Amino acid sequence: MIELKSVQEIDRMAVTGQFVGELLAELSGVAAVGVNLMEIEHHARRRIAERGAESCYWDYAPSFGRGPFRNVLCLSVNDAVLHGLPHDYVLRDGDLLSIDMAVGIDGWVADSAVSVVVGTPDPADLRLIEATEVALAAAITAAQPGGRLGDVCAAIGDVAASYGYGVNAEFGGHGIGRTMHEDPHVANAGRAGRGMRLDPGLTIAIEPWFCQSTNKIRYDEDGWTIRSADGSRTAHSEHTVAITPSGPRVLTGRPPTS
């Protein structure tokens, strides 16, 4: 069931989204060569507690995964792309880190992700991150009232193809609002003009993620961390977006970095 949100409810989601965006920008700055992933995780826990927010990840126990998730971030390094389980790992020069988080404030949720390179970047990694960001921007532009969900999905797939990356259809974006995962599923590929109509009040998390040289994935023994099947680098970008009568509204915008 899809619940369309009122203008006031979207404004409340935007309060959560602002916090998510600001914290993601802060965490991107915390991530550096020599920093342990658990330092980033605990930094986020402190900020979330200080704000009086609630992590949507803590105790999350979907059909995949192994037991409840007991962290507030997904931290995925290099060939890991989704659901990376924070663990005792010290970031090295050139590591590609994806940071994904979702929290609720006063009953309204926002979800966002960003990928960064710590230390000396490899141009191929920067290109991969760029592709996810361009795909996200294209999908947001396509999320117009009266359009179709397939317009959003096709925009992501078209960008992936233009960069020469394949698309995995097993995981994608999703509806969001009172809970982290709501209908509809937002695939990272599709056909323009198809699918449900994008009515004002629809709120979705759009999250393109690509692997450099495969569209297949594998799971770590932890039951959570998803990696490229061939060990190639990966990247992930995400925003929570509301469909409004005047166009898409990004609810998880991040402050510009200096």
Side-chain angles (χ1 to χ4, degrees), residues 237-257:
S237 295
E238 178 181 17
H239 272 311
T240 294
V241 178
I243 310 300
T244 78
S246 59
R249 177 183 176 187
V250 177
L251 304 182
T252 49
R254 293 185 286 274
T257 56

Side-chain angles (χ1 to χ4, degrees), residues 39-129:
E39 294 179 57
I40 303 173
E41 166 70 18
H42 285 284
H43 186 103
R45 291 185 194 182
R46 288 193 300 272
R47 288 287 189 258
I48 290 170
E50 289 166 359
R51 181 58 177 82
E54 293 184 3
S55 170
C56 298
Y57 292 172
W58 195 272
D59 277 343
Y60 180 53
S63 57
F64 60 91
R66 184 173 300 164
F69 197 83
R70 290 295 173 85
N71 295 278
V72 302
L73 298 175
C74 291
L75 298 174
S76 306
V77 181
N78 295 334
D79 62 327
V81 63
L82 296 174
H83 311 151
L85 195 65
H87 61 287
D88 182 15
Y89 175 83
V90 176
L91 290 168
R92 304 168 183 171
D93 187 46
D95 276 347
L96 196 166
L97 173 66
S98 296
I99 309 171
D100 190 359
M101 65 174 292
V103 304
I105 297 175
D106 297 329
W108 294 97
V109 172
D111 189 359
S112 188
V114 64
S115 293
V116 297
V117 176
V118 299
T120 309
D122 184 318
D125 291 344
L126 295 180
R127 183 176 186 271
L128 181 63
I129 294 172

Side-chain angles (χ1 to χ4, degrees), residues 3-247:
E3 177 190 13
L4 299 179
K5 283 74 175 178
S6 68
V7 173
Q8 293 77 18
E9 289 170 336
I10 290 172
D11 285 343
R12 293 176 69 184
M13 287 182 67
V15 171
T16 310
Q18 180 179 358
F19 171 72
V20 169
E22 290 174 350
L23 183 51
L24 269 183
E26 184 176 330
L27 295 173
S28 297
V30 172
V33 177
V35 172
N36 194 299
L37 293 183
M38 293 309 300
E39 294 179 57
I40 303 173
E41 166 70 18
H42 285 284
H43 186 103
R45 291 185 194 182
R46 288 193 300 272
R47 288 287 189 258
I48 290 170
E50 289 166 359
R51 181 58 177 82
E54 293 184 3
S55 170
C56 298
Y57 292 172
W58 195 272
D59 277 343
Y60 180 53
S63 57
F64 60 91
R66 184 173 300 164
F69 197 83
R70 290 295 173 85
N71 295 278
V72 302
L73 298 175
C74 291
L75 298 174
S76 306
V77 181
N78 295 334
D79 62 327
V81 63
L82 296 174
H83 311 151
L85 195 65
H87 61 287
D88 182 15
Y89 175 83
V90 176
L91 290 168
R92 304 168 183 171
D93 187 46
D95 276 347
L96 196 166
L97 173 66
S98 296
I99 309 171
D100 190 359
M101 65 174 292
V103 304
I105 297 175
D106 297 329
W108 294 97
V109 172
D111 189 359
S112 188
V114 64
S115 293
V116 297
V117 176
V118 299
T120 309
D122 184 318
D125 291 344
L126 295 180
R127 183 176 186 271
L128 181 63
I129 294 172
E130 176 187 86
T132 66
E133 293 174 344
V134 171
L136 179 56
I140 292 169
T141 298
Q144 298 294 330
R148 297 286 175 174
L149 185 61
D151 302 342
V152 176
C153 304
I156 296 172
D158 288 348
V159 170
S162 73
Y163 277 80
Y165 302 131
V167 172
N168 179 284
E170 295 174 64
F171 292 93
H174 48 88
I176 188 170
R178 298 180 189 273
T179 62
M180 177 170 59
H181 287 146
E182 299 179 354
D183 291 331
H185 174 67
V186 184
N188 285 335
R191 296 180 64 183
R194 299 294 182 93
M196 63 170 285
R197 191 174 67 182
L198 301 176
D199 290 325
L202 179 67
T203 48
I204 54 177
I206 304 173
E207 51 179 312
W209 60 272
F210 307 141
C211 308
Q212 276 183 338
S213 56
T214 184
N215 64 355
K216 302 195 180 303
I217 57 175
R218 64 179 178 86
Y219 289 82
D220 271 5
E221 291 183 2
D222 63 27
W224 285 101
T225 305
I226 296 176
R227 299 183 183 274
S228 62
D230 63 357
S232 62
R233 292 286 178 106
T234 64
H236 177 203
S237 295
E238 178 181 17
H239 272 311
T240 294
V241 178
I243 310 300
T244 78
S246 59

